[in-house]
Amino acid sequence: MSSVCLVERLKKGGYRITPQRQEIINCFGSGGKHYSAEEIHQEIKNKFPNVSLDTVYRNLNTMRELGIIEALNFEDGKCRYELAGENSHHHHLICIRCGMSEELDFCPLKFLDSSLLRDKKFTVERHSFELYGYCSSCTGSKREVK
Amino acid sequence: MSSVCLVERLKKGGYRITPQRQEIINCFGSGGKHYSAEEIHQEIKNKFPNVSLDTVYRNLNTMRELGIIEALNFEDGKCRYELAGENSHHHHLICIRCGMSEELDFCPLKFLDSSLLRDKKFTVERHSFELYGYCSSCTGSKREVK
DNA sequence: TGACTAATAAGAATTATTCCTATCTAAATA
DNA sequence: TATTTAGATAGGAATAATTCTTATTAGTCA
């Protein structure tokens, strides 16, 4: 999804394209990293030294509500965000030593017998599946760093 | 795993069995609920009105290090804890309306092609897999409550 | 009994996130 | 163009889960 398209979707949602919003969108433009709000804030401060962390959170939440981005939970106490493409559903490998995260092209829902859920009368809205361990650089020195 | 056994494992780890610890263990004795630290704290205060929340956290972490309990992340901003039995690996259904959580007897790792990870040289230590949605009581009135 | 160490209570500190409020600004209107 | 209005922002306060600090207490062992 191009950043032009993101701007369109914000506008369609009735939101203004402020310089701060444009800059948040630019952050995502440059590839598949999984930034935390704090990291995005640091990045944006290069252009807008006075931008508040609240503005970052507020806009990330707005974009999440519009389905433009997704919030990821890597169980380290903070949210990370990534672009939500149309056909880009995926999960992650997360290194518990260096924090690296990588996308994984495997979704367990395909293998879950749906009769299991039907019996329980449970309606699935979303799911998590993340693998935690040591990436190629960190295997060998396996000591989890907090 | 009986609570007697839990006490044994704490002792083997070089830890004392204080009344507070005994009481935390008792909380888990009564079945498969997924308590938060705050809930355990409330429960224990019935017997020890002065017990501190810090004591609960400290001991939950100790028990986690010993592998006696496991921390669950239901993405609602707080940890939940459950007994870690030997053959009891499982995942969860979590209702995003009422908070109900139920165990699910399905593990996606069985279906993940291990060559995928071998290629990436990633060593898996643990994984998450949780289904979020509406339980049988909450289907019908689908409005997520924060 | 005395010394040593683990464990505790109480409250302060930390961290991620959200809320509040006064100000600002872009768009709509007159 | 000047005015109005609603959306957005900065800054700082508030919140909530968790951890840290410190002084005190209580087992354990010599």
Side-chain angles (χ1 to χ4, degrees):
Chain A
M1 189 158 46
S2 76
S3 57
V4 174
C5 175
L6 299 189
V7 167
E8 285 312 311
R9 289 177 66 181
L10 266 174
K11 275 189 185 165
K12 263 187 203 157
Y15 297 94
R16 293 179 189 160
I17 308 303
T18 63
Q20 292 90 337
R21 274 184 186 149
Q22 183 68 65
E23 203 53 28
I24 291 176
I25 290 172
N26 288 350
C27 277
F28 287 111
S30 58
K33 273 225 172 184
H34 308 122
Y35 295 110
S36 69
E38 183 58 45
E39 284 167 340
I40 292 172
H41 186 223
Q42 287 305 322
E43 182 67 25
I44 294 178
K45 279 211 283 191
N46 293 330
K47 264 204 176 170
F48 301 96
N50 290 330
V51 75
S52 75
L53 188 51
D54 180 62
T55 294
V56 173
Y57 274 109
R58 186 165 19 78
N59 288 313
L60 287 173
N61 283 333
T62 298
M63 291 165 73
R64 191 167 46 156
E65 276 158 25
L66 287 176
I68 292 174
I69 59 174
E70 268 177 59
L72 308 175
N73 189 315
F74 290 175
E75 302 193 355
D76 64 347
K78 73 189 85 174
C79 279
R80 321 220 159 223
Y81 300 87
E82 70 176 9
L83 282 182
E86 309 76 43
N87 305 310
S88 71
H89 178 68
H90 60 259
H91 298 282
H92 299 90
L93 303 175
I94 298 138
C95 180
I96 54 184
R97 185 154 199 276
C98 71
M100 180 271 345
S101 57
E102 192 177 342
E103 301 184 358
L104 176 67
D105 186 22
F106 168 88
C107 179
L109 274 208
K110 293 195 187 108
F111 299 91
L112 177 62
D113 181 4
S114 58
S115 67
L116 238 172
L117 301 175
R118 212 177 308 124
D119 293 348
K120 292 178 184 284
K121 295 192 187 2
F122 189 89
T123 318
V124 175
E125 289 283 315
R126 59 177 190 269
H127 62 283
S128 71
F129 176 56
E130 320 298 335
L131 300 178
Y132 298 90
Y134 298 94
C135 72
S136 56
S137 317
C138 292
T139 308
S141 56
K142 295 188 180 173
R143 187 173 47 85
E144 183 163 353
V145 182
K146 282 233 302 190
Chain B
M1 188 158 45
S2 75
S3 56
V4 175
C5 175
L6 299 188
V7 166
E8 285 312 310
R9 287 176 66 180
L10 267 174
K11 276 189 184 168
K12 263 187 203 157
Y15 296 95
R16 294 178 188 160
I17 308 304
T18 64
Q20 292 90 337
R21 274 183 186 150
Q22 183 68 63
E23 203 54 27
I24 292 176
I25 289 173
N26 288 349
C27 278
F28 287 109
S30 58
K33 273 226 171 183
H34 308 122
Y35 295 110
S36 68
E38 184 59 45
E39 284 166 340
I40 293 171
H41 186 221
Q42 287 305 321
E43 181 67 24
I44 293 178
K45 279 211 282 191
N46 292 331
K47 264 204 176 172
F48 301 96
N50 289 330
V51 75
S52 75
L53 187 53
D54 178 65
T55 294
V56 174
Y57 275 109
R58 186 164 18 80
N59 287 313
L60 287 173
N61 283 335
T62 298
M63 289 164 73
R64 190 167 46 155
E65 277 159 25
L66 287 175
I68 291 174
I69 61 174
E70 267 177 59
L72 308 175
N73 190 314
F74 288 175
E75 302 192 357
D76 64 345
K78 72 188 87 173
C79 278
R80 323 222 158 223
Y81 300 87
E82 71 177 9
L83 282 183
E86 308 77 43
N87 304 311
S88 70
H89 177 68
H90 60 260
H91 299 281
H92 299 89
L93 302 175
I94 298 138
C95 180
I96 55 184
R97 185 153 199 277
C98 71
M100 180 272 343
S101 57
E102 191 177 342
E103 301 184 358
L104 175 68
D105 187 22
F106 168 88
C107 179
L109 273 208
K110 293 196 187 106
F111 299 91
L112 177 61
D113 181 2
S114 57
S115 67
L116 239 171
L117 301 174
R118 212 177 308 124
D119 292 348
K120 292 178 185 285
K121 295 193 187 1
F122 189 88
T123 316
V124 175
E125 289 284 314
R126 59 177 191 269
H127 62 282
S128 70
F129 175 57
E130 323 297 336
L131 300 178
Y132 297 90
Y134 298 95
C135 71
S136 55
S137 317
C138 290
T139 309
S141 56
K142 294 188 181 176
R143 188 173 46 83
E144 183 165 355
V145 182
K146 282 232 303 189

